[in-house]
């Protein structure tokens, strides 16, 4: 489980194709500082498992490897990564730690596309202090978004500003622009989307209430 608060901007070191899967090596000194074999690290919002042992992690100083299955490559934007690509990294949350964002599973529901960027006020150097960014929204998950609700974009916990049927907007503050890949994403770039899991649980509970009481009917 994650919080959607990015700890570090990492970088793809290499990608090795192994049959229908890939092994990705990434550089992230902060998230690997206490990493162990089997630990979970979210890469652009996708929960991946560290496959290096302690000796390999020590030798590779700030780098770790993760295997990515075909299903993950198909359902996320990780298949578009190349050596040198910047990625958002977050370690799994510790029990009892502050929940700064919202509950994020690291399970991508769909991919979207960055549609537009609108800069807000400028600072003294002429740089935008914030931006309103619009992403495409696949129809199967549009029902889970509400204004002022939460969504994860490439692993970043964000608040929905506007929830349309086929797109949504978020406001990115300077810290988000500077410390995550969302600050450099271009129009047309793909992003990983994960909706708030609480919305899916509520939907399922309501569906269950609407079902006939088959157990009672059989008595």
């Amino acid at each position: 489980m994650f919080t959607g608060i990015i700890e570090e901007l990492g970088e793809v070191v290499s990608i090795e194709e192994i049959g229908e899967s890939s092994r990705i090596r990434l550089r992230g000194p902060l998230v690997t500082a206490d990493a162990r074999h089997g630990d979970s690290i979210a890469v652009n919002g996708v929960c991946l498992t560290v496959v290096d042992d302690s000796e390999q992690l020590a030798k590779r100083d700030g780098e770790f490897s993760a295997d990515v299955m075909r299903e993950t490559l198909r359902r996320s934007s990780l298949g578009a990564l190349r050596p040198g690509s910047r990625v958002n990294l977050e370690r799994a949350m510790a029990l009892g730690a502050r929940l700064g964002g919202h509950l994020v599973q690291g399970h991508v529901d769909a991919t979207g596309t960055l549609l537009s960027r609108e800069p807000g006020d400028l600072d003294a150097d002429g740089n935008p202090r914030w931006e309103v960014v619009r992403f495409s929204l696949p129809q199967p998950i549009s029902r889970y978004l509400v204004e002022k609700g939460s969504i994860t974009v490439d692993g970043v916990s964000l608040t929905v500003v506007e929830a349309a049927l086929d797109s949504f907007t978020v406001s990115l503050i300077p810290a988000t622009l500077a410390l995550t890949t969302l600050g450099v994403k271009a129009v047309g770039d793909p992003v990983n989307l994960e909706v708030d899991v609480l919305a899916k649980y509520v939907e399922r509970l309501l569906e269950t209430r609407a079902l006939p009481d088959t157990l009672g009917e059989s008595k």
Side-chain angles (χ1 to χ4, degrees):
M1 193 69 73
F2 305 90
T3 70
I5 303 300
I6 302 305
E7 295 186 274
E8 182 175 21
L9 260 177
E11 181 182 355
V12 176
V13 176
S14 64
I15 301 175
E16 178 187 3
E17 294 186 5
I18 308 173
E20 293 186 341
S21 66
S22 294
R23 176 163 291 186
I24 302 180
R25 176 163 293 282
L26 303 112
R27 180 175 294 111
L30 176 61
V31 299
T32 56
D34 59 353
R36 297 178 298 176
H37 175 79
D39 281 356
S40 295
I41 296 177
V43 179
N44 280 357
V46 181
C47 179
L48 298 180
T49 301
V50 176
V51 300
D52 309 283
D53 59 32
S54 56
E55 184 178 345
Q56 291 171 324
L57 287 167
K59 285 181 178 178
R60 290 164 182 165
D61 190 26
E63 297 182 1
F64 72 97
S65 298
D67 289 330
V68 187
M69 300 297 100
R70 179 184 181 185
E71 174 73 359
T72 304
L73 294 170
R74 184 179 69 85
R75 296 184 65 107
S76 76
S77 66
L78 295 191
L81 294 177
R82 298 292 181 267
S85 295
R86 304 304 301 273
V87 289
N88 298 320
L89 300 176
E90 181 193 355
R91 290 169 289 189
M93 65 180 294
L95 188 64
R98 286 190 176 94
L99 181 59
H102 71 283
L103 292 177
V104 176
Q105 294 181 295
H107 302 160
V108 173
D109 291 300
T111 56
T113 302
L114 197 156
L115 299 177
S116 65
R117 311 185 71 114
E118 282 186 38
D121 300 330
L122 302 181
D123 62 20
D125 298 321
N127 300 312
R129 290 180 51 80
W130 51 272
E131 288 188 13
V132 175
V133 183
R134 181 175 294 275
F135 297 96
S136 66
L137 181 64
Q139 189 276 332
I141 65 170
S142 64
R143 64 184 182 276
Y144 298 117
L145 263 68
V146 294
E147 292 183 7
K148 305 302 182 287
S150 297
I151 188 168
T152 308
V153 180
D154 269 359
V156 184
S157 173
L158 297 171
T159 300
V160 177
V161 175
E162 176 194 356
L165 291 177
D166 58 357
S167 67
F168 67 97
T169 61
V170 294
S171 292
L172 304 183
I173 62 175
T176 305
L177 293 170
L179 301 177
T180 76
T181 60
L182 299 185
V184 295
K185 286 279 184 180
V187 171
D189 283 348
V191 292
N192 295 317
L193 304 176
E194 181 187 332
V195 299
D196 190 344
V197 67
L198 296 179
K200 291 191 284 187
Y201 279 129
V202 169
E203 179 185 58
R204 181 58 177 166
L205 287 169
L206 292 175
E207 288 177 349
T208 303
R209 287 183 60 186
L211 292 174
D213 184 0
T214 55
L215 182 61
E217 292 174 352
S218 64
K219 291 182 179 179

